[in-house]
């Protein structure tokens, strides 16, 4: 494998009654990052979890917690997530009146920062803020729900984002991660990696596994995702 790939389980599809165990088990199965979906019933039509849950899970793992804010506005809640132990905080440009200021706020609070692009949101928002960006997150579904189907147009957009990031890294030597979110599974992860993603959110594909108590129940699916990535 020429490139480092990261698997980021979205806990949105986990069993919330056993959230701590779910996180411990999925990381033990070889996943790299906890993807933490925050929805506010305003920017997206769903309501999920906030800083309280982030601080509750923080002591359970050393893994990166990647907070995906699907909220509007974003600034008020950013320091709360930093205090709750988030490592990366990303938000949608549509959720902030002042994108550069929100990115700076995330960095000032000691976290890595990123922008999230809905399927129809142009990548132009990156152009003047690359120096403040650590992660670009492309949505391959419309945000709000787990378990949706991968939108194939995301592959072309990934190639565009990869080119922008590579040009920037070439110039500055600074690394930016490219994450894909929505409808990722064993059947399409290799193709998504070939289009340029290096970090892969997987919700229903991972947590859709039979809900038994075997602590190794996620091993097979994480291994299958990695086996597909090894082909790239
Ligand atoms: C959707 C969320 C995703 C979602 C992914 O708004 O941002 O992270 O949970 O779930 P799957 O992998 O099931 O599409
Ligand atoms: Zn997400």
């Amino acid at each position: 494998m020429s490139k480092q790939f990261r698997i980021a389980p979205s806990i949105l599809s986990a069993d919330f009654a056993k959230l701590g165990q779910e996180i411990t088990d999925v990381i033990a199965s070889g996943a790299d990052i906890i993807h933490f979906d925050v929805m506010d019933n305003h920017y997206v039509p769903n309501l999920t979890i906030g800083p309280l849950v982030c601080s509750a899970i923080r002591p359970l793992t050393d893994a990166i917690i990647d907070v995906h804010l699907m909220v509007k506005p974003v600034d008020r809640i950013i320091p709360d997530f930093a205090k709750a132990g988030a490592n990366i905080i990303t938000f949608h440009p549509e959720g902030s009146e002042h994108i550069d200021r929100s990115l700076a706020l995330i960095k000032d609070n000691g976290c890595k920062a990123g922008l999230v692009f809905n399927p129809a949101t142009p990548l132009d928002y990156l152009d003047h803020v690359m120096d403040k960006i650590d992660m670009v997150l492309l949505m391959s579904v419309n945000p709000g729900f787990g378990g949706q189907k991968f939108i194939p147009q995301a592959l072309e957009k990934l190639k565009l984002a990869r080119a922008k990031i590579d040009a920037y890294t070439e110039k500055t030597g600074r690394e930016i991660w490219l994450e894909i979110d929505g409808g990722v599974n064993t059947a399409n992860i290799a193709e998504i990696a070939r289009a340029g993603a290096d970090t892969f959110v997987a919700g229903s594909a991972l947590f859709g596994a039979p809900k038994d108590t075997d602590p190794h129940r996620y091993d097979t699916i994480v291994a299958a995702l990695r086996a597909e990535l090894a082909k790239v």
Side-chain angles (χ1 to χ4, degrees):
M1 220 189 316
S2 57
K3 208 168 160 184
Q4 200 199 339
F5 293 123
R6 289 164 289 264
I7 295 173
S10 158
I11 56 172
L12 188 59
S13 299
D15 181 347
F16 275 97
K18 301 179 181 144
L19 187 58
Q21 198 59 49
E22 291 273 62
I23 286 168
T24 312
D25 292 347
V26 83
I27 293 296
S29 294
D32 305 290
I33 293 174
I34 296 300
H35 184 81
F36 192 103
D37 285 310
V38 184
M39 305 184 186
D40 68 348
N41 186 37
H42 169 69
Y43 178 64
V44 292
N46 203 352
L47 186 65
T48 60
I49 45 180
L52 196 65
V53 175
C54 188
S55 38
I57 64 167
R58 180 68 284 179
L60 303 179
T61 179
D62 294 329
I64 288 171
I65 299 180
D66 158 31
V67 172
H68 173 191
L69 294 180
M70 288 163 272
V71 308
K72 185 179 182 170
V74 298
D75 291 1
R76 223 298 293 139
I77 205 77
I78 284 169
D80 293 10
F81 275 103
K83 282 190 202 87
N87 302 98
I88 305 174
I89 300 178
T90 65
F91 65 90
H92 293 246
E94 297 89 344
S96 171
E97 295 292 341
H98 305 283
I99 295 165
D100 181 87
R101 176 183 287 156
S102 301
L103 289 168
L105 183 63
I106 295 171
K107 309 281 271 188
D108 288 349
N109 277 271
C111 297
K112 302 230 181 243
L115 282 181
V116 192
F117 296 84
N118 286 333
T121 304
L123 294 173
D124 307 9
Y125 283 106
L126 286 173
D127 286 348
H128 306 287
V129 294
M130 283 299 256
D131 289 337
K132 292 194 177 78
I133 300 262
D134 301 290
M135 179 144 91
V136 174
L137 171 45
L138 296 196
M139 295 303 299
S140 38
V141 297
N142 286 292
F145 303 93
Q148 302 180 78
K149 206 171 163 311
F150 185 87
I151 297 173
Q153 282 76 13
L155 294 171
E156 284 311 307
K157 200 170 176 186
L158 269 173
K159 290 179 194 160
L160 294 174
R162 181 81 265 157
K164 263 183 200 283
I165 290 171
D166 285 353
Y168 176 80
T169 302
E170 176 95 354
K171 207 167 68 185
T172 62
R174 211 172 66 81
E175 196 188 349
I176 295 176
W177 291 359
L178 179 52
E179 185 172 50
I180 187 86
D181 186 4
V184 177
N185 55 45
T186 48
N188 61 19
I189 194 167
E191 193 183 9
I192 295 168
R194 276 186 209 102
D198 52 42
T199 306
F200 306 83
V201 175
S204 49
L206 256 166
F207 291 109
K211 297 261 181 269
D212 58 38
T213 50
D214 176 1
H216 299 293
R217 65 198 176 286
Y218 300 123
D219 291 9
T220 318
I221 174 77
V222 173
L225 291 167
R226 289 226 188 271
E228 285 300 311
L229 289 172
K231 295 179 186 168
V232 176

